[in-house]
Amino acid sequence: MKRVLITAGASGIGFAMGEAFAAAGFRVSITDVDEAALDAAPGAWDCHIADAADEAQMAKVFSQLGGGLDVLCANAGIAGPTALIEDTGLEDWKNCVSVNLEGAFVALKHAAPIMKAAKSGSVILTSSTAGIYGYPNRAPYSAAKWGIIGLMKTLAMEAGPYGVRANAICPGAV
């Protein structure tokens, strides 16, 4: 049975991904910081409370996967502050970039060796139209989602020769 891990999979886009992969016969594992939402997930899913940007928590999740990984959906993200650049606090910037960009990096850091060793795999990164065009009053979010595009392109170059595919989805407002 093929396996998928979806960060921030207990609601929204991540949950819809989980449903689609489950319907396609995948064993679904999800992470989320919302314990109540994890408790409400389908019983057949493997649920892990973990902050996608916390390397120790994510290392634990990857150690518990057992049986490899066919697909990673690095989906964790938050909207962050709504403010002009000059009115955005540095801590708000750091928090938004941490969840949106560092969360994807941490997941990739752990998934890439597994997939490269298997000489197959697919990584789906959730970016945004803001990661292509920018978005006024959302500098940290836009910068992080632009970073996702660069991360995806870099992963494609590094892991592509091992049979690992890397793609980003860029939804608009959801």
Side-chain angles (χ1 to χ4, degrees):
M1 177 180 287
K2 290 192 175 190
R3 297 196 53 139
V4 60
L5 173 63
I6 305 164
T7 63
S11 64
I13 292 171
F15 189 82
M17 289 174 167
E19 289 180 316
F21 278 105
F26 280 69
R27 180 169 176 186
V28 176
S29 296
I30 62 172
T31 69
D32 212 293
V33 294
D34 185 342
E35 195 167 356
L38 285 170
D39 290 342
W45 295 10
D46 297 323
C47 298
H48 307 270
I49 187 148
D51 178 340
D54 185 309
E55 188 163 7
Q57 290 179 20
M58 290 302 293
K60 183 178 178 184
V61 169
F62 275 88
S63 74
Q64 295 172 344
L65 285 180
L69 182 64
D70 300 289
V71 179
L72 169 68
C73 298
N75 175 65
I78 59 170
T82 301
L84 295 170
I85 290 172
E86 64 267 26
D87 296 330
T88 300
L90 184 57
E91 287 306 311
D92 289 335
W93 169 279
K94 288 179 180 180
N95 184 51
C96 185
V97 170
S98 176
V99 174
N100 288 292
L101 184 56
E102 292 172 15
F105 165 75
V106 168
L108 291 178
K109 180 178 179 177
H110 292 280
I114 295 168
M115 292 179 175
K116 285 166 75 173
K119 299 207 179 298
S120 70
S122 177
V123 174
I124 302 165
L125 299 157
T126 303
S127 181
S128 167
T129 54
I132 300 171
Y133 307 113
Y135 198 86
N137 299 310
R138 299 308 277 272
Y141 181 80
S142 293
K145 295 303 185 175
W146 278 70
I148 291 291
I149 300 297
L151 191 59
M152 178 267 304
K153 289 180 178 187
T154 300
L155 178 68
M157 289 183 257
E158 292 181 4
Y162 295 89
V164 178
R165 296 179 315 279
N167 292 282
I169 59 172
C170 298
V174 177

